[in-house]
Amino acid sequence: MLALAVARSVALVAAGLVTLVAVNPADASPTNPEYSQNSASYVVAGVNDYADRNRIGGTGAAIDSVVNGRANVTATPEEARRIQRLGYRVIRAQTEGFPAADAGYHDYAEMMAELDRAAKAHPTIMRKLSLGKSYEGRDMPLIKISDNVTEDEDEPEVLYGAHQHAREHLTVEMALYLVRLFTEQYGKDPRITRLVNSREIWIVPDMNPDGGEYDIVGGQYHNWRKNRQPAGDGYRGVDLNRNWGYKFGCCQGSSPVASSETYHGPRAFSAPETQRLRDFVLSRRVGGVQQIRAAIDFHTYSELVLWPYGYTERPSAPGLGQDQQRTFATLGGILAKSNGYTPEQSSSLYITDGSIIDWLWATQGVWAFTFEMYPGSPDKGGFYPPASVIAEQTARNREASLLLAEYADCAYRVIGKQQQYCPR
């Protein structure tokens, strides 16, 4: 098994950042479902191996990172009690927030305005389209970048997605960075010009606009992860990255409980947001052949490059033979070398089921990766790093994003088998 990627020699408790408070069972029942179902951040001690991580994940809690044998999780009080009953020590982590007005980040309106400006400034290579509407009726923008942007050309296609999880705002900034990179450097940077001329590039800057807006309502962060559709029992939200239709709910890598942070929904694609992106991906099948060849789904945090499968710890599984596994691992290693992240199969951290990258690979044959962005540990901001890191941490993925687009014509080149698998 690959080493745990987020095991860092970083102190868990940084002065002024984290205060530890023992869980009080008397406070265990949810009292305000509208506010994260009373979810909170906890630290779980004694998380020493893969089995520990999967036992904790099996309670429905969301594992955010693991550092020096301690897991940082988001959980309801009931899930925290379940973890306690498994024999782990659980402590509540109260994390100080960033400034209420974090002007360096884009809220939904600001993001849409920036996309409109970019489309107006670069009409020959960029189109601002729409996936459709979110649960609350917000438009889900879809960006196409190509030299003949109004035409459907026979070129390899690349998909970059962001913000399935509401509190992961840095991923929206990553998507906006890519829009600027491919448009503003076109005609200036020969490498980028070549890619725009030979690829069709799709960017989904905001998969979860409802959750993202709710997470910052009132000018403060609410640690919200899911979307905002009713989930039953007075709760709201489905974990979009557990709602995809391959191995949905199969393997204790998500939760059937509506209050859980990893609630997978009543059925695959029950969330309108995953339906919209699914329908777009399926629309890219031309003559039965999927035109999207490679994808990155951006998340935070832990600084990881992950590949399928998440539902099983086996490196090989149906649809993922030796050559495919080697290709994922080799290409993942190349991408990780460029940004300093740790490469590993998704399940090496813990089991997840119903994820987008498993669905993209198993059903569409897309070389799909999850990037867990900055930071590598919670003491550097966790899900809410300061706006001062945006420029550096988005540019950090420049090379990896370009490399993936370059390999989209035939990923098997990384293992020298392009003649076998990509003869034309």
Side-chain angles (χ1 to χ4, degrees), residues 9-190:
S9 55
V10 179
L12 177 67
V13 182
L17 287 178
V18 179
T19 303
L20 302 181
V21 182
V23 173
N24 182 357
D27 296 332
S29 60
T31 58
N32 185 3
E34 192 64 15
Y35 179 76
S36 272
Q37 292 101 52
N38 215 24
S39 293
S41 296
Y42 296 89
V43 177
V44 182
V47 182
N48 299 314
D49 57 24
Y50 184 75
D52 287 328
R53 300 194 296 275
N54 281 322
R55 277 193 289 269
I56 292 165
T59 67
I63 301 177
D64 304 324
S65 66
V66 182
V67 182
N68 295 335
R70 293 191 174 191
N72 302 278
V73 307
T74 304
T76 64
E78 173 57 31
E79 289 163 350
R81 289 193 330 213
R82 289 180 202 147
I83 297 170
Q84 284 181 313
R85 288 196 292 267
L86 290 172
Y88 298 97
R89 182 178 173 224
V90 181
I91 46 184
R92 176 84 172 259
Q94 301 288 353
T95 305
E96 294 182 6
F98 292 108
D102 210 343
Y105 285 92
H106 290 72
D107 63 19
Y108 178 76
E110 291 166 341
M111 174 197 68
M112 294 294 275
E114 176 158 332
L115 295 174
D116 286 338
R117 285 193 295 270
K120 184 176 181 180
H122 307 280
T124 61
I125 61 169
M126 174 181 164
R127 294 183 72 193
K128 177 173 173 278
L129 306 168
S130 174
L131 288 174
K133 300 294 184 181
S134 66
Y135 174 78
E136 292 183 340
R138 292 181 176 86
D139 189 61
M140 298 173 61
L142 172 67
I143 304 304
K144 182 182 180 183
I145 299 173
S146 188
D147 59 338
N148 297 306
V149 72
T150 62
E151 300 179 21
D152 191 0
E153 298 182 279
D154 184 17
E155 296 176 340
E157 301 184 12
V158 189
L159 174 66
Y160 303 96
H163 207 211
Q164 285 206 77
H165 292 145
R167 62 194 175 191
E168 299 172 13
H169 302 283
L170 186 59
T171 66
V172 174
E173 305 306 319
M174 186 67 231
L176 292 174
Y177 169 84
L178 290 175
V179 170
R180 293 191 295 269
L181 179 69
F182 285 116
T183 57
E184 295 175 6
Q185 294 303 308
Y186 182 74
K188 301 176 183 177
D189 184 307

Side-chain angles (χ1 to χ4, degrees), residues 280-299:
F280 166 69
V281 171
L282 294 178
S283 77
R284 301 313 304 149
R285 295 186 71 92
V286 178
V289 178
Q290 178 56 250
Q291 303 303 297
I292 299 172
R293 308 290 180 79
I296 298 175
D297 192 47
F298 289 102
H299 289 257

Side-chain angles (χ1 to χ4, degrees), residues 247-262:
K247 298 297 182 181
F248 172 80
C250 74
C251 308
Q252 296 187 323
S254 59
S255 175
V257 180
S259 62
S260 172
E261 290 292 309
T262 59

